[in-house]
Amino acid sequence: MAEEKGKTDMGCLVQIQSYSCSALSKRFKTISKQSIWICCKGEKMTRPTNKKEIIYQSDFQFKTLESAINSLSKEEREKNFLFSKEFLSKKKEEHWKRDKNLRDVLMHLYEWHILLINWLKSNQDGIEISFIPKPFTWKTHGEMNNTFLEKNKEVSFEDSLEKLKSTHVLVMEMLDTFSDEQLFMKKRYSWAGTGTLASFFIANTSSHYLWANKKIKVYIKQIKKGCKGGSVA
């Protein structure tokens, strides 16, 4: 999982998303106008304060992800990124060098969905486990991400997308079983630590999808520059 601070600047991705602002407004009537404006204008997302806002932002970002992918040809979906050495040298986050293509990005999202799903199911069944499975810890979760990469290197792009779609649905179904109080009360569950359960859902849905959308936006920009004969990324 990776999260970068600052504005999202979704640009063309927002323009091709499948929901209009008015459609989203009607679907989630309790969402504030400010939240709708933020996502539709591509500004920095506000932190959700209730379950419906988590659902709204997650749904929006996932639809944006799908729309961006749908704008690519089959070849573009499967080819490797060609980020320049100069571009990568300016990026401190390891994921820029780690993920080689869209499959890697989608499977990364999928694997973190699986972490969330297993963590929730186990702890609700009375078997308390940490979110990051042993032998990894939050300090070494980068190594865990690398194992995900190796584990899924033979997965096709089509399968990675279908896997992600299925876990997205499951995660949202699990989210819907909790009340606002259960999600947003700090220390509500001992196994969730001192924070809120909502923070785990947000980090593994809307925030994580936003991270992926930023990366795909760079890839789309790279493709456009390549078509025009310019330098990539």
Side-chain angles (χ1 to χ4, degrees):
M1 180 171 57
E3 186 173 349
E4 298 174 0
K5 296 181 179 180
K7 293 188 176 181
T8 64
D9 188 27
M10 295 302 290
C12 64
L13 293 185
V14 170
Q15 295 175 16
I16 61 175
Q17 52 88 16
S18 58
Y19 283 154
S20 65
C21 295
S22 59
L24 285 166
S25 305
K26 292 176 181 177
R27 185 174 181 188
F28 299 100
K29 292 181 179 179
T30 61
I31 302 300
S32 67
K33 291 182 179 180
Q34 177 67 10
S35 293
I36 293 170
W37 185 90
I38 284 169
C39 281
C40 291
K41 295 296 183 181
E43 299 295 329
K44 183 179 179 180
M45 291 190 303
T46 55
R47 190 77 171 175
T49 57
N50 57 59
K51 180 169 66 175
K52 286 192 175 182
E53 286 188 351
I54 300 177
I55 295 172
Y56 162 73
Q57 290 191 8
S58 298
D59 188 67
F60 180 89
Q61 293 296 339
F62 196 79
K63 290 295 182 182
T64 299
L65 180 69
E66 288 185 303
S67 294
I69 290 172
N70 289 338
S71 73
L72 300 171
S73 67
K74 184 178 185 300
E75 180 184 1
E76 290 166 343
R77 296 175 190 181
E78 297 177 352
K79 70 188 300 185
N80 283 351
F81 301 140
L82 294 174
F83 299 138
S84 67
K85 290 183 179 180
E86 180 182 1
F87 172 82
L88 293 174
S89 68
K90 297 176 182 179
K91 297 294 183 180
K92 296 181 180 180
E93 299 86 359
E94 180 60 30
H95 70 83
W96 288 105
K97 299 182 180 71
R98 182 193 69 216
D99 301 327
K100 300 298 188 293
N101 47 50
L102 289 178
R103 185 271 317 279
D104 292 347
V105 174
L106 299 186
M107 289 308 295
H108 177 81
L109 297 176
Y110 166 81
E111 290 289 356
W112 279 81
H113 276 171
I114 294 299
L115 290 179
L116 177 63
I117 292 166
N118 290 342
W119 178 71
L120 287 169
K121 285 183 175 180
S122 181
N123 283 291
Q124 286 183 302
D125 288 342
I127 304 173
E128 191 164 326
I129 62 171
S130 59
F131 188 89
I132 301 294
K134 296 180 180 179
F136 304 105
T137 65
W138 283 107
K139 288 184 178 180
T140 63
H141 78 276
E143 296 175 21
M144 179 185 68
N145 286 334
N146 289 333
T147 66
F148 292 156
L149 186 71
E150 181 65 22
K151 171 185 173 183
N152 296 299
K153 64 181 181 180
E154 300 300 327
V155 176
S156 68
F157 167 79
E158 289 80 7
D159 286 345
S160 70
L161 183 57
E162 290 306 311
K163 284 176 177 288
L164 180 60
K165 286 180 179 180
S166 66
T167 52
H168 170 71
V169 171
L170 182 53
V171 167
M172 301 312 289
E173 288 176 348
M174 295 180 79
L175 167 65
D176 203 37
T177 65
F178 294 97
S179 67
D180 281 343
E181 180 182 0
Q182 290 172 320
L183 288 168
F184 288 91
M185 180 184 290
K186 290 184 177 181
K187 301 181 182 180
R188 178 67 171 75
Y189 300 99
S190 61
W191 40 271
T194 59
T196 67
L197 192 58
S199 64
F200 287 88
F201 277 105
I202 294 167
N204 286 280
T205 56
S206 57
S207 291
H208 220 178
Y209 301 157
L210 177 59
W211 163 80
N213 281 327
K214 286 182 179 181
K215 197 161 193 174
I216 295 173
K217 180 186 175 183
V218 173
Y219 177 50
I220 291 175
K221 181 180 178 181
Q222 175 194 65
I223 292 172
K224 290 180 176 179
K225 283 187 175 181
C227 290
K228 294 178 181 179
S231 58
V232 296

